[in-house]
Amino acid sequence: MFGCLVAGRLVQTAAQQVAEDKFVFDLPDYESINHVVVFMLGTIPFPEGMGGSVYFSYPDSNGMPVWQLLGFVTNGKPSAIFKISGLKS
């Protein structure tokens, strides 16, 4: 349903489904990433009038996840580029 692209890396299309409506992409060495592209594959559209929020997560100093809202994708806006550099600082 979704894909993720980081410059200089292979496209990821195998998101891990962690809940009925939640998917996760692992981004190793995320500290070196400036931007990430999230896109719909076109195989399964959202229900009419719906979309998906895109979050970035990184561990805080205690190892607990911090979730940062980046934006969204919809059938009308099936891809977006998000800047993630500097979010942790």
Side-chain angles (χ1 to χ4, degrees), residues 25-81:
F25 287 103
D26 183 32
L27 300 176
D29 194 26
Y30 68 89
E31 296 94 342
S32 68
I33 299 171
N34 291 319
H35 296 82
V36 62
V37 178
V38 176
F39 56 93
M40 296 175 64
L41 297 175
T43 55
I44 304 172
F46 285 111
E48 189 62 36
M50 301 293 285
S53 298
V54 177
Y55 286 84
F56 175 68
S57 176
Y58 58 88
D60 68 10
S61 59
N62 297 318
M64 298 301 294
V66 175
W67 291 93
Q68 180 82 34
L69 177 65
L70 299 178
F72 64 92
V73 292
T74 65
N75 294 337
K77 182 186 168 222
S79 65
I81 301 172

Side-chain angles (χ1 to χ4, degrees), residues 2 12-19 21-26:
F2 300 106
Q12 293 186 43
T13 57
Q16 177 185 2
Q17 188 168 1
V18 295
D21 60 347
K22 292 178 176 63
F23 299 85
V24 175
F25 287 103
D26 183 32

